[in-house]
Amino acid sequence: MVSVITGGAGGMGLATAKVIGREQPVVLCDVRAERLDAAATVLKDLDVTAITCDVTDRDAVVKLFEEAAGIGPVTSVIHAAGVSPSMGDADYVMRTNAIGTVNVNEVFYEVAAQGAAIVNVASMAAHLLPEEMIPADRFPEAMQDTNAFLAAMAGVCEPMPAELRSGIAYAVSKAFVRWYSSSQAERFNGRGLRIVSVSPGSIDTEMGRLEAEAGAGALVADAAVPRWGEPEEMADLLAFCVSDRAGYLTGTDILNDGGVVASVRERARLASHG
């Protein structure tokens, strides 16, 4: 039994590896080799295999799962690989977060053993984006025609002011992750697989702090729980989602954001009532 963790070199992925690695071998994947080496050193007491992999490259993802299957049957995947708005332009954010999710999940669907589970990391940003800004009718194209999907998503982002485009792409890409994890649940169940998404709030990771400097920190100060989430708080939830104890959990999104979305919505309701 092997668990694959994408984006495993830091933040939530690394924290989750520490939890899952106590019980089974872990295949850690990340696009940055030097960070992967550092993570493997941190986890040296566990059974960890580190593999460099770009999740936007379907062939690389196939190879990742082939190597994992060579160790043992793949029974769980934590798909934590993703980028935030400060890490690139809108196309890069969309390609990494949305197409990366399709690649990892579709390859998992093809090769995973019955009873296996995958959890995809979405974001509270998907919950804060107004419904009318989510082009869900174009989401299925991501599985059929990557270029058409990316063109449709660019059509949402490009009319926005330049400084907002990456942020909109991030929120839309994470809305896609939520949609995919829900819409594919019945298909996955046909092969005995579970699929879930988790939407973290502002988590105290390198990526999270990058966004704090870009303005996300204000949301934390106003949350019901006015602090940053810890990677370990996300890790235990992610590990639970793919465990046998969560055998009834599929096709849904779990929002774990310290109450940010609840606070924002209630304030908006009170403001609208003057």
Side-chain angles (χ1 to χ4, degrees):
M1 300 208 319
V2 177
S3 182
V4 174
I5 303 179
T6 71
M12 290 177 273
L14 181 60
T16 307
K18 291 175 183 176
V19 176
I20 291 181
R22 293 197 294 260
E23 298 177 359
Q24 64 189 89
V26 169
V27 171
L28 217 57
C29 123
D30 203 277
V31 73
R32 290 165 292 186
E34 69 284 352
R35 281 169 52 87
L36 205 51
D37 291 342
T41 302
V42 170
L43 302 170
K44 65 181 185 300
D45 295 333
L46 304 175
D47 185 352
V48 172
T49 303
I51 299 173
T52 308
C53 174
D54 178 355
V55 295
T56 66
D57 180 347
R58 177 73 74 105
D59 291 340
V61 174
V62 168
K63 189 165 177 288
L64 167 70
F65 276 91
E66 284 175 351
E67 292 194 45
I71 299 166
V74 176
T75 54
S76 65
V77 176
I78 287 84
H79 176 45
V83 294
S84 65
S86 297
M87 295 169 73
D89 64 16
D91 180 75
Y92 174 70
V93 170
M94 187 64 66
R95 194 180 293 273
T96 304
N97 294 350
I99 301 304
T101 293
V102 172
N103 288 342
V104 171
N105 282 260
E106 292 296 326
V107 175
F108 166 79
Y109 175 84
E110 293 295 333
V111 305
Q114 186 162 348
I118 186 166
V119 58
N120 297 305
V121 176
S123 169
M124 71 175 175
H127 293 259
L128 294 169
L129 192 65
E131 200 70 34
E132 60 272 16
M133 288 186 68
I134 302 174
D137 59 322
R138 306 298 299 271
F139 282 174
E141 292 178 25
M143 288 124 76
Q144 297 139 13
D145 187 336
T146 298
N147 291 332
F149 169 78
L150 290 171
M153 298 305 107
V156 175
C157 301
E158 281 170 5
M160 301 292 166
E163 68 274 12
L164 298 179
R165 285 174 199 156
S166 287
I168 298 295
Y170 178 78
V172 171
S173 70
K174 293 302 190 177
F176 172 84
V177 174
R178 276 185 71 199
W179 170 85
Y180 180 91
S181 303
S182 169
S183 68
Q184 303 308 303
E186 191 171 353
R187 179 168 74 98
F188 274 51
N189 188 60
R191 290 205 63 240
L193 308 174
R194 293 188 300 106
I195 177 171
V196 179
S197 62
V198 168
S199 287
S202 294
I203 308 301
D204 193 2
T205 63
E206 183 184 341
M207 194 164 103
R209 289 296 181 182
L210 202 59
E211 294 316 305
E213 293 165 26
L219 287 172
V220 176
D222 290 339
V225 180
R227 66 167 175 83
W228 288 75
E230 296 296 332
E232 292 74 21
E233 291 173 309
M234 295 305 307
D236 285 328
L237 175 58
L238 294 169
F240 171 76
C241 286
V242 295
S243 74
D244 291 340
R245 299 188 304 281
Y248 198 52
L249 185 69
T250 195
T252 194
D253 180 79
I254 299 171
L255 177 63
N256 189 11
D257 69 338
V260 169
V261 172
S263 298
V264 167
R265 287 183 179 157
E266 180 60 10
R267 288 202 187 109
R269 186 190 69 81
L270 292 171
S272 70
H273 287 72

